[in-house]
Amino acid sequence: RMITQVLIGILSGAAILTAGILIGHYGISQSSSGAPPSWLKDVAKDVDESLIEKFLSEVDNIQIQENLRELTKVPHMATTAGDEQTVQFMLKRWQDPETGLDQAWREEYMVYLSFPDPKNPNKVTVVSPSDTVLHTAREKEKSYTPDQDDPEVVQPYAAYSPAGHAKGKLVYANQGKPSDYQLLNQTIDLRGTVAITRYGGAGRAAKAINAAPYGVLGVLVYTDPLDINDGLMSDIDETYPHSWYLPPSGVERGSFNTHYGDLLTPYLAAKEETYRIPAENITGIPHIPIQPIGFEDAYTLICELGEEAAPAAWQGAFNCTYNFGGPGFKSTSYFNNRTPVLLKKGERDVKLDIFNHEEVKNSSNVMGVIRGSVEPDRYVIYGNHRDSWVHGAIDPSSGTSVMLELTRVLGSLVQQGKWRPRRSMIFGSWGAEEFGLIGSAEYTEQYFAKLSERTVAYVNVDIAVFANATLRASGMPSVQNILFAAAKQVDAPGLDSTSVYDNWVRYANRTSPALGIIPRVGYLSGAGSDYAAFVHYLGITSMDISYTYDRTKTNARIYPAYHTAYDTFDYASRFIDPGFVSHQAIARTAGNVLIRLADSLVLPLNCSDYAEILEDYLGTAMTLYEHQLRARNISMGKDIMQVNVFIPAPPLSLHRSCLRPLKVRRINDQLMLLDRAFLDPLAFPDKHAYRHVIWASSDAGKPTFPGLADAFATAESSGQSRHWDKVHYHLSVLSQAIEGAAHTLVDVI
Amino acid sequence: RMITQVLIGILSGAAILTAGILIGHYGISQSSSGAPPSWLKDVAKDVDESLIEKFLSEVDNIQIQENLRELTKVPHMATTAGDEQTVQFMLKRWQDPETGLDQAWREEYMVYLSFPDPKNPNKVTVVSPSDTVLHTAREKEKSYTPDQDDPEVVQPYAAYSPAGHAKGKLVYANQGKPSDYQLLNQTIDLRGTVAITRYGGAGRAAKAINAAPYGVLGVLVYTDPLDINDGLMSDIDETYPHSWYLPPSGVERGSFNTHYGDLLTPYLAAKEETYRIPAENITGIPHIPIQPIGFEDAYTLICELGEEAAPAAWQGAFNCTYNFGGPGFKSTSYFNNRTPVLLKKGERDVKLDIFNHEEVKNSSNVMGVIRGSVEPDRYVIYGNHRDSWVHGAIDPSSGTSVMLELTRVLGSLVQQGKWRPRRSMIFGSWGAEEFGLIGSAEYTEQYFAKLSERTVAYVNVDIAVFANATLRASGMPSVQNILFAAAKQVDAPGLDSTSVYDNWVRYANRTSPALGIIPRVGYLSGAGSDYAAFVHYLGITSMDISYTYDRTKTNARIYPAYHTAYDTFDYASRFIDPGFVSHQAIARTAGNVLIRLADSLVLPLNCSDYAEILEDYLGTAMTLYEHQLRARNISMGKDIMQVNVFIPAPPLSLHRSCLRPLKVRRINDQLMLLDRAFLDPLAFPDKHAYRHVIWASSDAGKPTFPGLADAFATAESSGQSRHWDKVHYHLSVLSQAIEGAAHTLVDVI
């Protein structure tokens, strides 16, 4: 009878559904018609709560710490010797006969990467008209621990920035958004200039792509102390090694491309013989050089800029006014002291000499599995990337350390014969994520059919711990209740008798019409980590889990050492998570989620939570668009009101018969495949591998259906009827997807 | 142990696999650990051969005859009153409480159709320079029975031909292929001409689309007696009503579009509020007027053409030389006698006045289901269109009559409580097929996710009986053995103690490396009937079944009354299938297939037969392309040699455990989803809704992978490196699809 309630809850969207029901034992009684065959017991088995307790108790913070120490010994940028060392380490651990998985192996792809030239480092200089160098930006970050002296620390660079030379007057372009360049161009003729921008507000590649149409020749990017350090700047007492804040010479590296996956083999797994598009046909990468620098150098450049002051919103934390620049540095500039000749305004250029080169290299995913006992053909996938920019203690090794601890505990249970999940668990240690989620994307391309057909869910734990305050989770709405159930069973780090859930709901909450005040679960609408290919390309129900900041205590856009040479074991263990208790909490929460997904008789995916968010999206769309659409004779009403179909009228009347394995399987298939029904490979022709019409990325920045929002924004700004047609088209795409998904949830025939 | 063999056969491709094994009883023994719950018996149940015998014996030829009589009372072109009458008839039959289905209903789409204007009929005339009409082509077919006098008989026309007027010198352009116009243009400047073409060799729309670039203003199309009547022409003693041959005034109507599905709503179900593209954006339809005429008029026009004689391959059955024409009719032309003024060469034009109009109209599918007992969420779909051009006795009502007889027998069994299939059966009576497979295409668009996830197979029986000689079947190779099994159990019509199978193998056979001499099953690479959306858009394992000609007795490209006003009950019952015994054989064979698909414990889809055909394709590709590809450093070897993966090395070791319902389901899912793994929505950007990389249509006409063959042909003719890149790209697409499909067949984890 309990299971009846569960199913009604899942499929009918009954408001009273709580996580408690989902995690309860179902009190399965034996069939009345005689002793069933032995396998029948296994088939009807549900999540074993005592197994979860055992798992939680065995997750060890010190093991995680030691995993991290091992993983961060050397820099392990994708395809380097350090990366290979981590491949070997993962394989050794997953193939361990006592604590390993059933099987582990590597899978290789030949992928297109971009590197600086160690023998010819990228240079950023200020030069006089006679090319006298007046200032040279740092080529490497300042050393505070031996880690920064490792010769394998890669020079800060913008991966996929073209090689080339750019020289011009410097201008300050804020965050490099289209609106920033537009505004700046109203004051200054941008042709022939070099723009300096700060991180944030726009994607990395976009800062250069947006600049090029204005005739900008090159772009610099830096992290403003306002955005990362809560304004602090001094390495004498304020920044690392004194705190978690970024030292003045720290530089955020990154991949400057727009599309995820290998850039030469779109939609095809990058095998040796795979067809590769000509490099000149790659879209979404800069066509002018771009280079990141530290705020120490940015300070020198920006504070010397002359001309009009930039708007208040453009000002950062430097103790000077951020001017537009353009015609040149101030006449009283510091650079004037560096040359015997008196330079006039406009006579000092900033020069970029970029020597990046692209290379097709062999990148590995490390894969491991625990075979399912009852439904081996159903996969719960858990993954994180393995490659870092430098030592990558937090990004990604915090997540990898957690994954290794989780597989150690589960692997031990399996190897000791104490447990085997109902469904198969697949673990992925992805390669070359930093270059654009490449390893996971190639994996989804290679195994598209198999993964589409069989994957129940994907769990991503990349940066496991940004900070020590609270859980953060994003995912499809249907996983909310699993996250809640798991978080309720884990103690919050550093707090007595408070669960991760209770702590979470204090930091980030919302009011659900059905459930009241609950933690706020985010959406996976972007491509910030390896969930992207699972969500957007495969349409697999996914989630991303981490521990994160107290936003009342910091405004840092991300943890300050992100993608710098300071993201080390020392940094992680002293400033991010001393004692590794937050890592432990993530391992427990994510592992609990994983076990529930793998062992639950009925998949704990909740359609009514999905419907709640869709209704929310619909409400927003009605408010924002209905009036204008009606004026143009485009009806929204019948079109996407289909959201309601998500709550099928008659609750399924399931009695003991629901124990029939094929009936349970049928319901599970409906739940597993729900997100697949939202895929439309033709909906977003300009967005590579975005097919999920609900969670696709959007430029409009509205909390509603992305294709509709973007089409509306374009139509509203252009006023062209073909753009209004596109709005209508996206309404139809959406309507068909939602109606199609609803059709998969109502009675099967 | 039998089931073990079956599974080894299915999944390992063992050469000894025969249909006999597949259709055998499995001898399921009870579980040894006690009495199983009652439902377990149902779950383990296999095809009941006695049920099949009962079905075969109850299929009645007279019932089929009476179905046909009812369906052909009036013309029932899509969306006309006659069409609505057939909707009501289908609903009445499927909702009959004694012989009906569990449920039946109609589903409506607003689709873009094209009609002539009854008040302003299309005209084809020969005119003098002063516009004196020298000859007028018939506007309607000659009457031999009251059927032809029905006011609802639509004037012969080319649906989707634009309205318009064309006037010019007549030329004879053979079949209107690109090569035909190219050759003709070498002799005659085609600018300003009107071309007459014969059916065959190129698609209907292509005859006009290929002409336009040469400056041709209008196109006529007719059926040459050579191609349809084995040369016979006279209605005095040779053609209908004296035989099955086409009378001189008979005209094949048809849809002159290239893409299937509603033309205004590509990839979207054509609901009322669905976004519609502007009509001027439709691709694949003629931009110059085209009109079909009978061979009586074609004779008059062609035999009067002057100038050079056309090549031998262009000559038809008329008792005159087919000349190119162009500058005009012969000076001694018959048309000269029609005017008092002596006309010179080049002074008689052919004129087309076309008044077709397009309209969005409400078309219905009629749907019916029998709910499955054990796996209601698995669908076996059976369908045929309901709409005809005129009375449509053969096309499509022969198929509909068969479908109704089949549902009568199955429905009776269900209503009497004697039987219920393991899986659900869905029956579709599609609307507006004649206008481009519209009803079935819209259905697959609307229910895309649900149908993709759950459909085991689609069975299409459109024209059930072309002629009385032999079975003809096309389909994915994996259905071959089901067709064989079914055909072996049905008596061939008109032959004593010969099975449909034994008769078939005499008419059309091939030698299989594994199975020896077997009937030849065709492929579904085109879009000739409603299987297209199932095969090409959804990737569902499909087949198309009919009874057909003895090719030693006729060369008719199709049965002669096809799409004419002579395709009537009288014609069908006197000349196509007197006694309706071939209809009966088709009903028995198709019904048998349907029951096997719905009731088999393990789906009788055979992967090794699929592998055999893929290897055949591969062999052809190697022979045709390898040498040239190697010369261009494109390796075919490793790329598509993956075909071998289809035959997994270790045979599955399944013992009694295979009776576990979830294990059987797992294997069935692998089999069901195999064809889905071959889909690539990006492989054919120019072919609407073609996604199946093995069976897509191809212009190259080679018995191998279509994308590769077309890309190779283009590259070879252009020599451009971007075209050779495309060849490499298609090899990669193919490799990934085949490898991906193979991954779904090997062990599930």
Side-chain angles (χ1 to χ4, degrees):
Chain A
R1 289 168 29 77
M2 281 289 276
I3 199 169
T4 312
Q5 288 176 34
V6 170
L7 289 170
I8 292 171
I10 287 168
L11 289 179
S12 77
I16 43 80
L17 185 79
T18 66
I21 293 179
L22 279 161
I23 64 173
H25 295 272
Y26 298 120
I28 294 161
S29 61
Q30 300 288 15
S31 160
S32 59
S33 56
S38 58
W39 54 262
L40 202 53
K41 229 182 200 164
D42 298 334
V43 166
K45 214 182 143 194
D46 206 341
V47 167
D48 175 355
E49 290 292 334
S50 68
L51 183 274
I52 288 182
E53 276 164 37
K54 191 170 167 60
F55 169 81
L56 296 176
S57 72
E58 290 190 7
V59 169
D60 183 8
N61 53 331
I62 302 306
Q63 293 275 353
I64 297 174
Q65 173 188 299
E66 294 314 305
N67 291 342
L68 190 69
R69 197 190 301 276
E70 184 68 30
L71 286 164
T72 56
K73 272 185 177 160
V74 294
H76 49 285
M77 182 166 66
T79 73
T80 63
D83 185 26
E84 178 60 24
Q85 230 168 287
T86 60
V87 168
Q88 295 304 334
F89 178 58
M90 300 297 297
L91 281 173
K92 191 180 129 214
R93 289 287 301 272
W94 284 354
Q95 290 171 345
D96 185 295
E98 279 170 25
T99 62
L101 309 175
D102 287 334
Q103 223 188 319
W105 66 95
R106 68 192 298 159
E107 301 204 5
E108 301 182 330
Y109 300 97
M110 302 293 294
V111 303
Y112 183 73
L113 305 182
S114 161
F115 300 102
D117 183 350
K119 291 183 191 142
N120 207 4
N122 295 340
K123 277 194 180 357
V124 175
T125 50
V126 179
V127 295
S128 73
S130 58
D131 264 348
T132 307
V133 174
L134 308 177
H135 176 79
T136 302
R138 271 184 171 277
E139 280 170 20
K140 57 177 296 223
E141 289 143 314
K142 186 172 165 186
S143 203
Y144 299 104
T145 72
D147 282 328
Q148 286 84 47
D149 290 324
D150 192 309
E152 293 301 313
V153 173
V154 71
Q155 187 199 2
Y157 75 112
Y160 303 109
S161 162
H165 307 279
K167 195 166 90 168
K169 309 290 165 257
L170 191 69
V171 295
Y172 173 58
N174 192 28
Q175 298 176 312
K177 300 189 295 288
S179 58
D180 293 333
Y181 288 111
Q182 201 183 359
L183 180 69
L184 188 61
N185 197 52
Q186 286 167 9
T187 307
I188 293 163
D189 180 353
L190 289 175
R191 283 174 297 175
T193 61
V194 167
I196 183 164
T197 59
R198 58 187 173 118
Y199 274 120
R204 293 190 191 101
K207 292 172 197 290
I209 292 171
N210 297 338
Y214 292 98
V216 175
L217 300 179
V219 176
L220 296 173
V221 57
Y222 77 103
T223 309
D224 198 280
L226 181 74
D227 300 318
I228 201 84
N229 274 3
D230 295 314
L232 301 182
M233 292 181 61
S234 163
D235 72 342
I236 297 170
D237 53 359
E238 292 175 334
T239 63
Y240 179 77
H242 308 289
S243 77
W244 82 325
Y245 288 122
L246 183 65
S249 70
V251 184
E252 178 182 322
R253 293 152 185 79
S255 174
F256 284 63
N257 50 1
T258 311
H259 307 313
Y260 66 86
D262 178 52
L263 295 174
L264 293 184
T265 59
Y267 303 106
L268 294 169
K271 295 294 182 180
E272 200 181 332
E273 299 191 342
T274 303
Y275 169 68
R276 287 173 164 76
I277 63 170
E280 62 268 28
N281 291 0
I282 294 173
T283 56
I285 57 173
H287 287 107
I288 55 174
I290 178 165
Q291 171 72 16
I293 58 173
F295 66 74
E296 179 181 19
D297 284 309
Y299 178 84
T300 305
L301 296 173
I302 288 176
C303 288
E304 301 300 322
L305 285 176
E307 302 307 308
E308 233 176 85
W314 291 32
Q315 301 297 318
F318 296 152
N319 59 356
C320 67
T321 300
Y322 292 54
N323 295 327
F324 282 148
F329 293 106
K330 290 181 219 164
S331 340
T332 57
S333 158
Y334 145 87
F335 302 122
N336 283 353
N337 307 334
R338 314 285 295 232
T339 163
V341 190
L342 186 67
L343 295 174
K344 301 199 202 85
K345 184 167 129 176
E347 288 193 334
R348 286 140 305 171
D349 281 330
V350 168
K351 198 170 152 222
L352 275 68
D353 297 290
I354 306 300
F355 302 99
N356 295 345
H357 65 283
E358 294 81 33
E359 217 175 324
V360 172
K361 295 201 75 181
N362 199 334
S363 171
S364 292
N365 293 336
V366 180
M367 305 301 303
V369 296
I370 300 177
R371 188 182 163 89
S373 55
V374 176
E375 295 182 275
D377 59 337
R378 287 296 174 261
Y379 308 153
V380 180
I381 308 183
Y382 181 106
N384 178 29
H385 66 105
R386 197 185 56 255
D387 68 305
S388 56
W389 280 115
V390 191
H391 295 82
I394 292 302
D395 181 6
S397 306
S398 62
T400 309
S401 301
V402 161
M403 176 158 69
L404 280 171
E405 175 56 2
L406 206 145
T407 54
R408 182 190 69 83
V409 177
L410 297 177
S412 304
L413 291 167
V414 169
Q415 300 295 353
Q416 291 162 25
K418 290 183 180 161
W419 168 81
R420 181 165 287 286
R422 177 187 183 87
R423 303 180 181 89
S424 295
M425 288 178 166
I426 299 181
F427 297 91
S429 171
W430 316 119
E433 187 261 11
E434 293 296 3
F435 289 84
L437 322 180
I438 297 178
S440 56
E442 299 309 302
Y443 174 72
T444 59
E445 287 168 350
Q446 184 173 5
Y447 298 100
F448 183 84
K450 192 167 175 165
L451 296 174
S452 299
E453 293 164 4
R454 301 178 189 165
T455 310
V456 160
Y458 175 68
V459 180
N460 195 66
V461 179
D462 179 346
I463 295 172
V465 180
F466 289 89
N468 265 318
T470 176
L471 188 72
R472 173 165 84 178
S474 301
M476 271 68 153
S478 46
V479 304
Q480 169 183 284
N481 72 93
I482 318 173
L483 290 161
F484 291 176
K488 282 176 181 170
Q489 293 184 315
V490 177
D491 294 332
L495 297 170
D496 280 340
S497 59
T498 300
S499 69
V500 163
Y501 179 92
D502 289 338
N503 181 57
W504 184 17
V505 76
R506 279 183 220 145
Y507 279 95
N509 59 57
R510 69 176 179 99
T511 303
S512 150
L515 306 172
I517 296 173
I518 53 170
R520 178 180 290 278
V521 174
Y523 307 140
L524 296 175
S525 50
S529 184
D530 291 300
Y531 54 77
F534 291 92
V535 171
H536 299 298
Y537 189 53
L538 288 176
I540 283 171
T541 309
S542 299
M543 68 200 92
D544 184 66
I545 306 173
S546 59
Y547 231 70
T548 193
Y549 324 99
D550 179 347
R551 279 292 176 203
T552 66
K553 296 201 177 134
T554 181
N555 284 315
R557 44 181 282 277
I558 194 160
Y559 71 97
Y562 173 73
H563 287 196
T564 73
Y566 306 111
D567 187 354
T568 58
F569 181 80
D570 176 68
Y571 180 86
S573 58
R574 290 206 294 134
F575 298 113
I576 297 286
D577 189 19
F580 288 83
V581 288
S582 293
H583 282 77
Q584 185 180 37
I586 286 299
R588 284 173 170 162
T589 306
N592 192 337
V593 165
L594 197 60
I595 296 170
R596 287 180 185 285
L597 285 165
D599 277 357
S600 292
L601 178 62
V602 177
L603 284 174
L605 300 170
N606 192 326
C607 297
S608 61
D609 290 338
Y610 217 129
E612 185 176 300
I613 301 302
L614 290 181
E615 280 172 16
D616 200 47
Y617 265 31
L618 176 60
T620 304
M622 298 289 275
T623 308
L624 292 174
Y625 310 134
E626 201 195 12
H627 183 73
Q628 283 199 60
L629 291 183
R630 195 178 302 191
R632 285 168 194 282
N633 269 320
I634 304 172
S635 158
M636 277 185 66
K638 261 163 85 185
D639 252 334
I640 52 174
M641 279 305 195
Q642 304 287 356
V643 164
N644 297 318
V645 184
F646 255 86
I647 306 180
L652 289 183
S653 58
L654 290 173
H655 303 290
R656 291 235 332 295
S657 63
C658 63
L659 282 177
R660 295 188 188 184
L662 291 178
K663 198 154 190 179
V664 174
R665 172 83 164 208
R666 183 200 320 162
I667 292 163
N668 284 341
D669 279 359
Q670 290 179 291
L671 295 167
M672 173 178 81
L673 296 171
L674 176 59
D675 269 302
R676 239 74 94 233
F678 289 114
L679 294 182
D680 184 337
L682 304 173
F684 308 107
D686 299 330
K687 291 180 197 278
H688 175 79
Y690 277 88
R691 299 180 165 192
H692 197 303
V693 303
I694 308 295
W695 306 118
S697 66
S698 164
D699 298 321
K702 305 286 183 194
T704 186
F705 310 110
L708 177 61
D710 284 359
F712 189 93
T714 302
E716 201 179 26
S717 99
S718 85
Q720 292 181 28
S721 75
R722 69 190 173 100
H723 289 148
W724 286 110
D725 277 358
K726 198 93 179 214
V727 174
H728 192 174
Y729 168 73
H730 271 286
L731 269 173
S732 295
V733 163
L734 198 55
S735 164
Q736 181 152 312
I738 294 177
E739 198 188 330
H743 282 308
T744 69
L745 286 184
V746 294
D747 199 11
V748 294
I749 191 125
Chain B
R1 288 169 28 77
M2 281 288 278
I3 199 170
T4 311
Q5 288 174 34
V6 171
L7 289 168
I8 292 171
I10 288 169
L11 290 179
S12 77
I16 44 81
L17 184 79
T18 66
I21 294 181
L22 279 160
I23 63 173
H25 294 271
Y26 298 120
I28 293 161
S29 60
Q30 300 288 15
S31 160
S32 59
S33 55
S38 59
W39 53 262
L40 201 54
K41 231 181 197 164
D42 297 334
V43 166
K45 213 181 143 196
D46 206 342
V47 167
D48 176 354
E49 290 292 334
S50 67
L51 182 276
I52 288 182
E53 277 163 38
K54 191 171 168 58
F55 169 82
L56 296 177
S57 71
E58 292 192 6
V59 169
D60 183 8
N61 53 331
I62 302 306
Q63 293 277 352
I64 297 173
Q65 173 188 300
E66 294 313 305
N67 291 340
L68 190 70
R69 197 189 302 274
E70 183 67 31
L71 285 164
T72 56
K73 273 186 177 158
V74 294
H76 48 287
M77 183 166 65
T79 74
T80 62
D83 186 27
E84 178 60 24
Q85 228 168 289
T86 60
V87 168
Q88 296 303 334
F89 177 58
M90 299 298 297
L91 282 172
K92 191 180 130 215
R93 290 287 301 270
W94 284 354
Q95 290 170 346
D96 185 294
E98 279 169 26
T99 62
L101 309 175
D102 288 334
Q103 222 186 321
W105 66 96
R106 68 192 296 159
E107 302 204 6
E108 301 182 330
Y109 300 97
M110 302 292 294
V111 304
Y112 184 74
L113 305 182
S114 162
F115 300 102
D117 183 349
K119 292 182 192 142
N120 207 4
N122 295 339
K123 279 195 180 356
V124 175
T125 49
V126 178
V127 295
S128 73
S130 58
D131 265 346
T132 308
V133 174
L134 309 176
H135 176 79
T136 302
R138 271 185 171 277
E139 280 169 22
K140 56 176 298 221
E141 289 143 313
K142 186 172 166 187
S143 202
Y144 300 103
T145 72
D147 282 328
Q148 286 85 47
D149 290 325
D150 191 309
E152 292 303 312
V153 173
V154 71
Q155 187 199 2
Y157 75 112
Y160 304 110
S161 162
H165 307 278
K167 194 167 92 171
K169 311 288 164 258
L170 190 69
V171 296
Y172 172 58
N174 192 27
Q175 298 177 313
K177 300 191 295 288
S179 58
D180 293 333
Y181 287 112
Q182 202 183 359
L183 179 69
L184 189 60
N185 197 52
Q186 286 168 10
T187 306
I188 293 163
D189 180 352
L190 290 175
R191 283 174 297 177
T193 61
V194 167
I196 183 165
T197 60
R198 57 186 172 119
Y199 274 119
R204 292 190 192 100
K207 292 173 197 289
I209 292 172
N210 297 338
Y214 292 98
V216 175
L217 301 179
V219 176
L220 295 174
V221 57
Y222 78 102
T223 308
D224 198 279
L226 181 73
D227 300 319
I228 201 83
N229 275 3
D230 296 313
L232 302 182
M233 293 181 61
S234 163
D235 72 343
I236 297 171
D237 52 0
E238 293 175 332
T239 63
Y240 181 78
H242 309 287
S243 77
W244 81 325
Y245 289 121
L246 183 64
S249 70
V251 185
E252 178 182 322
R253 294 152 184 81
S255 175
F256 284 63
N257 51 1
T258 311
H259 308 313
Y260 66 87
D262 178 52
L263 295 175
L264 293 184
T265 59
Y267 302 108
L268 294 169
K271 294 294 182 180
E272 199 181 333
E273 299 192 339
T274 303
Y275 169 68
R276 287 172 166 76
I277 63 170
E280 62 266 28
N281 292 358
I282 294 173
T283 56
I285 56 174
H287 287 108
I288 55 175
I290 178 165
Q291 172 72 16
I293 58 174
F295 66 74
E296 178 180 21
D297 284 308
Y299 177 85
T300 305
L301 295 172
I302 288 176
C303 289
E304 301 299 320
L305 285 175
E307 302 306 307
E308 231 176 86
W314 291 31
Q315 301 297 318
F318 296 152
N319 59 355
C320 66
T321 300
Y322 292 53
N323 295 327
F324 281 147
F329 294 103
K330 290 182 220 163
S331 341
T332 57
S333 158
Y334 145 87
F335 303 122
N336 283 355
N337 307 332
R338 315 285 296 225
T339 162
V341 189
L342 186 69
L343 294 174
K344 299 197 204 86
K345 185 167 128 177
E347 287 193 334
R348 285 139 304 171
D349 281 329
V350 169
K351 200 170 150 219
L352 275 67
D353 296 290
I354 307 301
F355 302 99
N356 295 345
H357 65 283
E358 294 81 33
E359 217 175 325
V360 173
K361 296 202 77 182
N362 199 334
S363 170
S364 291
N365 293 336
V366 179
M367 306 300 304
V369 297
I370 299 177
R371 187 181 165 91
S373 56
V374 176
E375 297 181 274
D377 59 336
R378 288 295 175 262
Y379 308 153
V380 179
I381 308 182
Y382 182 106
N384 178 30
H385 66 104
R386 198 187 54 256
D387 67 305
S388 56
W389 280 115
V390 191
H391 296 82
I394 292 301
D395 181 7
S397 306
S398 61
T400 309
S401 300
V402 162
M403 176 158 69
L404 281 171
E405 175 56 2
L406 206 146
T407 56
R408 181 190 70 83
V409 177
L410 297 177
S412 304
L413 291 166
V414 168
Q415 301 295 353
Q416 292 163 24
K418 289 184 180 159
W419 169 79
R420 181 165 286 286
R422 176 187 183 88
R423 303 180 180 88
S424 295
M425 288 178 167
I426 299 180
F427 297 91
S429 171
W430 316 119
E433 188 260 11
E434 294 296 2
F435 289 84
L437 322 179
I438 296 179
S440 56
E442 299 309 301
Y443 175 72
T444 60
E445 287 168 349
Q446 182 173 6
Y447 297 101
F448 183 84
K450 193 167 174 165
L451 296 174
S452 298
E453 293 164 4
R454 300 178 190 165
T455 310
V456 161
Y458 174 68
V459 180
N460 194 66
V461 180
D462 179 347
I463 295 171
V465 180
F466 290 88
N468 266 319
T470 176
L471 189 71
R472 174 165 83 178
S474 302
M476 271 68 153
S478 46
V479 305
Q480 169 184 284
N481 72 92
I482 318 173
L483 289 162
F484 291 177
K488 283 177 182 170
Q489 293 183 316
V490 178
D491 294 333
L495 296 170
D496 279 339
S497 59
T498 301
S499 69
V500 164
Y501 179 93
D502 289 336
N503 181 56
W504 183 16
V505 78
R506 279 184 220 144
Y507 279 94
N509 60 56
R510 67 175 180 101
T511 303
S512 150
L515 306 172
I517 297 173
I518 53 172
R520 178 181 290 278
V521 174
Y523 307 140
L524 296 175
S525 51
S529 184
D530 292 299
Y531 55 76
F534 291 91
V535 171
H536 300 298
Y537 189 52
L538 288 177
I540 283 170
T541 309
S542 299
M543 68 201 90
D544 185 64
I545 305 172
S546 59
Y547 231 71
T548 193
Y549 325 97
D550 179 348
R551 278 295 176 200
T552 65
K553 298 202 175 132
T554 181
N555 285 313
R557 44 181 283 276
I558 193 158
Y559 71 98
Y562 173 71
H563 286 195
T564 72
Y566 306 111
D567 187 356
T568 58
F569 182 81
D570 176 69
Y571 181 86
S573 57
R574 289 206 295 135
F575 299 112
I576 297 285
D577 188 20
F580 288 84
V581 288
S582 294
H583 283 78
Q584 185 180 38
I586 286 298
R588 285 173 170 161
T589 307
N592 192 338
V593 165
L594 197 60
I595 295 171
R596 289 181 183 284
L597 285 165
D599 277 356
S600 291
L601 179 61
V602 176
L603 285 173
L605 301 170
N606 192 326
C607 297
S608 61
D609 289 338
Y610 217 129
E612 185 176 299
I613 301 302
L614 290 181
E615 279 172 17
D616 199 46
Y617 266 31
L618 177 61
T620 304
M622 298 289 276
T623 307
L624 292 174
Y625 310 133
E626 199 194 14
H627 183 73
Q628 282 200 60
L629 291 184
R630 195 179 300 192
R632 289 171 191 280
N633 268 320
I634 302 171
S635 158
M636 276 185 66
K638 263 162 84 185
D639 252 334
I640 52 173
M641 279 305 194
Q642 303 287 354
V643 163
N644 296 318
V645 185
F646 256 86
I647 306 180
L652 288 184
S653 59
L654 289 173
H655 303 291
R656 293 239 329 296
S657 63
C658 62
L659 282 177
R660 296 188 187 185
L662 291 179
K663 199 155 188 176
V664 174
R665 171 83 164 208
R666 184 201 316 162
I667 292 162
N668 284 341
D669 279 359
Q670 290 179 290
L671 295 168
M672 173 179 80
L673 295 171
L674 176 60
D675 270 302
R676 241 73 94 232
F678 288 113
L679 295 182
D680 183 336
L682 305 173
F684 308 107
D686 300 329
K687 290 179 198 280
H688 175 79
Y690 278 87
R691 298 181 166 191
H692 198 303
V693 303
I694 309 296
W695 306 119
S697 66
S698 163
D699 298 322
K702 305 286 183 194
T704 186
F705 309 109
L708 177 62
D710 284 359
F712 189 93
T714 303
E716 202 179 25
S717 99
S718 86
Q720 291 181 28
S721 75
R722 69 190 174 99
H723 289 149
W724 286 109
D725 278 359
K726 198 92 179 220
V727 174
H728 192 174
Y729 167 74
H730 271 287
L731 268 174
S732 295
V733 163
L734 198 55
S735 163
Q736 181 152 311
I738 294 178
E739 198 188 330
H743 282 308
T744 69
L745 286 185
V746 295
D747 200 10
V748 295
I749 192 126

